[in-house]
Amino acid sequence: MKNSRRSFLKLAGISALGLGTKPVLNAFASGGHSEKHEAEIQKNPDALKAKRWAMVIDTRKFESEEDFEPIIEACNKIHNIPKHTNKRHEIYWIWVDEFKHVFINQEHEFVDDRVKHLPFLVLCNHCEKPACVRACPTKATFKREDGIVLMDFHRCIGCRFCMAACPYGSRSFNFRDPRPFIKEENKEFPTRMKGVVEKCNFCAERLAVGKTPACAEASNGAIVVGDLHDPESEVRELLKNNYTIRRKPDLGAGPAIYYIV
Amino acid sequence: MLELAIKGGKKYWILIIGLLAVMGIAFGFWLWQLSFGLGITGMSRDVSWGFYIAQFTFLVGVAAGGVMVVLPYYLHDYKAFGRITILGEFLAIASVIMCLMFIIADLGQPMRALNVLLYPTPGSVLFWDMIVLNVYLLLNIIVGWNVIEAERNNIKYPGWIKALAIFSIVWAPLIHTVTAYLYCGLPGRGFWLTAILAPRFLASAFAAGPALLILLCLIIRRVTKFDPGKEQIQSLAKIVTYAIIINVFFFLCEIFVVFYSRIPSHMDHIKYLFFGLHGHNALVPWMWTSMAFMVTSIILLVNPITRKNEAVLAFACVILFIGTWIDKGMGMISGGFVPNPLHHVVEYAPTIPEIIITLGVWATGFFVLTILFKIAISVKEEVSGV
Amino acid sequence: MNDKNIIITGLIIFFVFLTFPFWYNMGKASPVPEPKLTDKAKAAKECVEPKEYMKAEHMQILDIWRDGVVREANRVYISETGKKFNMSLSTGDDSCMGCHSNKADFCDKCHDYASVTPYCWDCHIEPPKEKK
């Protein structure tokens, strides 16, 4: 009897914390039952934090297609991204495409040779006003307070409304069980199951333990992440000193991925 | 009244068993899809919605189209339609059931479908679409069932039924408007990003729905003792005529805006559909067929001489139905996804399993429709004592 | 009534179907399994919550943890005894499965008995099976 009441209070308290409503928790805590310690949920103290995460890609630092491979490979490996044999089932988190495909409407016939022939990295833009989040009927995709747009694979029903909504083609769907197509499983990160949508997660799992995103780590300084709201941050420094462009700025989605061309 | 559905002739049972057989086969394929995943369809990363969602979109239209017999009767007291309002309501029920089945067929994780209720998200149009469709289904079941029951008992339906019927008249355009909003509010898809999309959906719905009803009326007259009536069919034909003309007009408005402004992200989709893009042109013959069918049906329907000839009318309705089906059921969804946001042309074609599952849902719809119509018509035969 | 026999036969058939699971499984009841602890788990002595509580409510804890980790980036659980835990099902040695690495004896046994099939392992990678 006593135990079940205690469990209930504790669960209610934890759930309230999970929802981020501290007043509710306090109300429960002052509810008169005497425990020495309440169970608590906290952030990892080593976690990297930002008010608004952003990424700057210095495309001048890439010289050939080989330069992109270790970056894409690092992401694919860490996140257990399958290599499907059927083109229709392909899954990308970060990949490359030509300027005219990445920056539609910004290309012209006489664009310089380097830009014309050099591939550009593309990934989820972690938009300020993400259309995918607006579309999702279950909040399975959501924007975190620090600006990262994430997927909750447990909740996704696979309606693919977010894929139709994303103006950048950054989302992929598991048309079948991905496991047989993952060469080497990274035990530190889950795979996905069939029937859910996935995309770049800005390495949320790495930020949480104090590591920078895998692509940035593998890029020899060509990719920098940081806090857009911190004037001292490296991304702000780069944005201040270089002319940068973003994909489809006219849509007003506010991408957080900036490109130095 | 359900007992009326199990008293039928040989042909009735052949139809029922035939439909059940198709449903059974398709169910098997659906189980396969459930275990393998949506990879058995032709959908891809680039065309992430295909045949299922397209059928859903078209059938929401057919469901909404049913209102075109309900509205004149309840709002304008057009007595002639009193004979056939029930057919419109039952057609709406069957159509909405198909819509819901297509949504389920399209989900990657159908077992989690109720997450939509568990985590209600008013910002998502899909959330609202679920609400409007289910309410419309419920309205039509309640109104349809009570009206036919009252008719059987030779009494007038209760007053609250009329209130609900009028409510359903307001609701019908809503279901197709919300369905259009699924598409036309998406920032990166130029083909759908147009305010005319919802009106266009409604116009094609009010053409396709009543056209199907005319065909059903003609079939009913032939195979049962109940005659829906010449006047009724002609009135429906006039509704169809106006609606299809408005549909084509709206489409031409879209064509003007897109091709006069010449904004590539809007133009390329229509170019792909009607002329092909970068050598990809799988839908070109279909789209021109659709246009030709719709225009031909207009010519046949506008002219009173051809419209009043029921054989010609039936032909016009058939090609109109096919034309609007190609337009919405094939072009509307694929067209929005090709070219993709990075401007690559990746084409889509449904696979055999996908087509079989689609047929299965259609068969289920016709199964429901057959049973409901059987009940309605048995009641009508009973009442008129033939 | 001429239909009396038919109705009674129908009722009997219905009743037989209804009770099918009971008489089909008669005499086959197996004893309630007891989850086994690994040496590591035994040595640790305490889990994130008391044993009885975990037995009954571990799914709730997992559910809260999953929302906390995925949606709020909260990854540290401080139990009532003040001990800190890494909130993770399967990542790292200090995760649930890092301690309870004997999935077959710790999870599956009871789940099979209760006939529940959680879909955790569709995505989360199982700890490698211990070779004996």
Side-chain angles (χ1 to χ4, degrees):
Chain A
M1 270 295 279
K2 211 181 158 197
N3 186 41
S4 70
R5 187 182 149 267
R6 196 190 71 146
S7 316
F8 167 72
L9 284 174
K10 185 157 54 188
L11 270 176
I14 297 168
S15 329
L17 238 187
L19 292 168
T21 45
K22 260 209 134 182
V24 183
L25 176 74
N26 293 342
F28 271 108
S30 59
H33 71 119
S34 54
E35 290 282 347
K36 271 194 179 160
H37 293 282
E38 279 289 325
E40 240 186 285
I41 292 176
Q42 286 181 349
K43 288 204 167 28
N44 186 331
D46 304 330
L48 298 182
K49 293 183 188 83
K51 280 211 175 88
R52 173 83 177 100
W53 281 106
M55 177 184 285
V56 177
I57 302 176
D58 190 345
T59 64
R60 297 168 307 187
K61 291 194 175 161
F62 296 104
E63 273 155 21
S64 66
E65 289 206 35
E66 284 91 69
D67 292 349
F68 299 104
E69 271 167 26
I71 297 173
I72 298 169
E73 208 38 53
C75 174
N76 288 355
K77 238 178 143 167
I78 281 177
H79 297 116
N80 287 325
I81 292 163
K83 253 202 174 63
H84 281 290
T85 41
N86 186 336
K87 242 188 114 45
R88 288 205 310 269
H89 303 159
E90 278 174 342
I91 286 174
Y92 304 127
W93 283 29
I94 182 167
W95 73 103
V96 285
D97 209 333
E98 293 169 74
F99 184 82
K100 63 175 180 184
H101 289 295
V102 177
F103 295 98
I104 290 165
N105 298 344
Q106 292 176 60
E107 54 115 13
H108 57 84
E109 216 179 314
F110 310 108
V111 74
D112 71 84
D113 275 358
R114 188 182 65 88
V115 165
K116 201 179 233 169
H117 299 298
L118 189 74
F120 282 75
L121 280 170
V122 265
L123 63 158
C124 170
N125 271 301
H126 298 278
C127 301
E128 188 71 46
K129 292 167 191 152
C132 54
V133 172
R134 217 153 46 227
C136 179
T138 62
K139 302 191 188 83
T141 192
F142 57 96
K143 195 181 123 194
R144 233 163 52 168
E145 265 183 8
D146 58 5
I148 298 177
V149 177
L150 280 181
M151 279 293 304
D152 185 343
F153 304 115
H154 309 96
R155 193 183 285 189
C156 176
I157 61 172
C159 71
R160 308 190 295 298
F161 199 6
C162 56
M163 294 177 78
C166 176
Y168 302 104
S170 296
R171 291 175 162 267
S172 309
F173 179 72
N174 286 281
F175 281 97
R176 59 182 302 183
D177 180 17
R179 284 214 171 156
F181 299 91
I182 303 169
K183 257 194 229 137
E184 226 179 292
E185 274 176 358
N186 168 23
K187 307 253 177 300
E188 302 291 296
F189 198 77
T191 65
R192 264 69 61 199
M193 67 199 293
K194 66 166 186 269
V196 297
V197 173
E198 64 179 90
K199 66 165 198 73
C200 156
N201 67 348
F202 213 83
C203 283
E205 86 284 2
R206 287 170 62 89
L207 295 176
V209 294
K211 294 185 199 162
T212 55
C215 56
E217 196 180 79
S219 72
N220 285 324
I223 300 175
V224 173
V225 300
D227 189 353
L228 208 55
H229 286 201
D230 174 9
E232 306 295 315
S233 68
E234 204 184 341
V235 288
R236 280 289 292 275
E237 199 62 32
L238 283 167
L239 290 174
K240 203 165 101 183
N241 298 322
N242 298 280
Y243 178 70
T244 46
I245 55 171
R246 294 188 289 174
R247 294 174 67 196
K248 300 189 183 178
D250 54 318
L251 297 180
I257 313 296
Y258 296 79
Y259 295 82
I260 302 175
V261 183
Chain B
M1 275 189 303
L2 272 174
E3 80 279 3
L4 295 172
I6 51 167
K7 286 184 209 152
K10 202 174 158 195
K11 278 182 188 159
Y12 173 70
W13 284 110
I14 289 173
L15 178 63
I16 289 287
I17 288 165
L19 289 171
L20 280 172
V22 178
M23 286 157 67
I25 294 166
F27 185 72
F29 276 86
W30 183 69
L31 289 181
W32 179 28
Q33 178 182 297
L34 211 54
S35 75
F36 185 93
L38 283 164
I40 67 163
T41 70
M43 288 184 273
S44 63
R45 196 179 183 283
D46 301 290
V47 184
S48 47
W49 278 339
F51 224 43
Y52 299 146
I53 290 295
Q55 305 307 307
F56 152 78
T57 310
F58 179 74
L59 286 165
V60 174
V62 175
V67 82
M68 280 292 132
V69 283
V70 181
L71 185 147
Y73 175 70
Y74 286 101
L75 282 190
H76 302 287
D77 210 21
Y78 179 60
K79 293 273 184 331
F81 273 0
R83 277 172 81 82
I84 56 167
T85 50
I86 191 69
L87 302 184
E89 280 150 358
F90 281 176
L91 176 61
I93 293 175
S95 305
V96 178
I97 287 173
M98 284 190 263
C99 291
L100 297 173
M101 288 177 74
F102 274 120
I103 298 244
I104 296 297
D106 190 66
L107 292 182
Q109 284 291 336
M111 290 75 77
R112 297 185 191 161
L114 291 178
N115 275 2
V116 178
L117 295 174
L118 206 57
Y119 309 102
T121 315
S124 171
V125 186
L126 207 58
F127 170 75
W128 291 107
D129 211 37
M130 175 213 59
I131 292 177
V132 289
L133 281 176
N134 282 297
V135 168
Y136 191 64
L137 177 62
L138 207 64
L139 279 174
N140 276 291
I141 290 174
I142 295 171
V143 173
W145 200 257
N146 277 287
V147 166
I148 198 71
E149 194 155 43
E151 190 170 338
R152 192 182 199 194
N153 297 335
N154 258 319
I155 51 168
K156 197 168 162 57
Y157 48 83
W160 60 271
I161 283 294
K162 186 173 179 180
L164 276 189
I166 289 170
F167 187 57
S168 81
I169 291 168
V170 183
W171 207 263
L174 207 59
I175 64 167
H176 217 19
T177 305
V178 175
T179 303
Y181 285 1
L182 285 176
Y183 308 107
C184 69
L186 305 179
R189 311 279 178 183
F191 184 58
W192 300 328
L193 190 67
T194 165
I196 201 87
L197 199 71
R200 221 180 121 189
F201 272 22
L202 283 169
S204 94
F206 293 152
L212 180 60
L213 260 180
I214 292 176
L215 293 171
L216 291 169
C217 284
L218 291 172
I219 293 169
I220 286 167
R221 179 195 281 159
R222 200 166 249 223
V223 299
T224 74
K225 295 188 192 92
F226 170 68
D227 181 6
K230 222 176 167 58
E231 186 196 337
Q232 284 80 352
I233 289 175
Q234 281 304 316
S235 300
L236 273 177
K238 279 175 210 148
I239 292 170
V240 172
T241 312
Y242 280 110
I244 188 69
I245 290 172
I246 294 171
N247 181 43
V248 173
F249 167 68
F250 283 169
F251 173 69
L252 294 176
C253 290
E254 179 71 18
I255 293 291
F256 170 78
V257 171
V258 165
F259 283 94
Y260 198 80
S261 67
R262 303 201 72 80
I263 299 173
S265 59
H266 289 258
M267 207 163 50
D268 289 339
H269 300 278
I270 299 179
K271 270 191 187 164
Y272 163 71
L273 287 176
F274 285 91
F275 307 103
L277 199 64
H278 306 318
H280 297 277
N281 48 20
L283 283 173
V284 173
W286 291 96
M287 294 315 289
W288 285 108
T289 307
S290 163
M291 279 300 128
F293 276 13
M294 286 199 265
V295 170
T296 313
S297 73
I298 289 178
I299 295 167
L300 294 176
L301 286 166
V302 165
N303 188 339
I305 301 165
T306 43
R307 186 179 65 233
K308 280 179 184 151
N309 179 330
E310 282 186 351
V312 179
L313 175 65
F315 173 74
C317 287
V318 168
I319 61 170
L320 181 147
F321 192 76
I322 296 172
T324 49
W325 178 80
I326 295 172
D327 180 33
K328 249 176 173 166
M330 295 184 73
M332 186 57 72
I333 304 306
S334 284
F337 283 109
V338 185
N340 77 0
L342 286 106
H343 220 284
H344 289 289
V345 180
V346 180
E347 288 196 289
Y348 159 81
T351 58
I352 307 261
E354 198 175 1
I355 292 172
I356 292 173
I357 292 172
T358 303
L359 282 175
V361 177
W362 275 92
T364 314
F366 273 97
F367 178 79
V368 172
L369 189 74
T370 307
I371 286 177
L372 291 176
F373 273 25
K374 173 75 174 57
I375 292 170
I377 286 153
S378 302
V379 167
K380 287 186 185 286
E381 287 173 342
E382 209 176 277
V383 171
S384 59
V386 280
Chain C
M1 287 281 273
N2 302 330
D3 297 341
K4 197 173 152 193
N5 286 336
I6 299 174
I7 292 171
I8 288 174
T9 319
L11 276 177
I12 290 172
I13 292 172
F14 174 72
F15 185 75
V16 168
F17 266 104
L18 196 73
T19 53
F20 177 78
F22 295 100
W23 54 262
Y24 181 76
N25 284 316
M26 210 151 3
K28 286 186 200 162
S30 46
V32 182
E34 189 69 20
K36 273 191 199 152
L37 290 179
T38 56
D39 294 340
K40 192 178 171 188
K42 272 182 199 153
K45 284 204 174 73
E46 60 172 310
C47 193
V48 294
E49 291 288 328
K51 187 177 161 192
E52 290 311 310
Y53 180 81
M54 289 308 287
K55 258 189 182 171
E57 311 281 355
H58 62 279
M59 47 297 230
Q60 265 80 352
I61 285 262
L62 285 171
D63 192 39
I64 291 163
W65 278 26
R66 128 176 126 183
D67 277 356
V69 171
V70 175
R71 307 182 79 87
E72 315 284 333
N74 292 324
R75 290 179 182 244
V76 178
Y77 187 83
I78 304 169
S79 72
E80 289 180 359
T81 59
K83 213 175 158 205
K84 286 188 181 179
F85 292 90
N86 170 29
M87 290 166 64
S88 175
L89 176 64
S90 54
T91 304
D93 289 338
D94 50 353
S95 64
C96 303
M97 301 314 287
C99 206
H100 303 288
S101 50
N102 53 339
K103 175 173 169 281
D105 280 336
F106 189 74
C107 308
D108 298 349
K109 240 182 181 176
C110 287
H111 288 161
D112 289 346
Y113 177 77
S115 187
V116 290
T117 44
Y119 57 84
C120 313
W121 312 108
D122 285 2
C123 298
H124 290 270
I125 297 168
E126 292 178 28
K129 287 200 176 67
E130 280 167 56
K131 281 169 200 144
K132 277 173 191 169

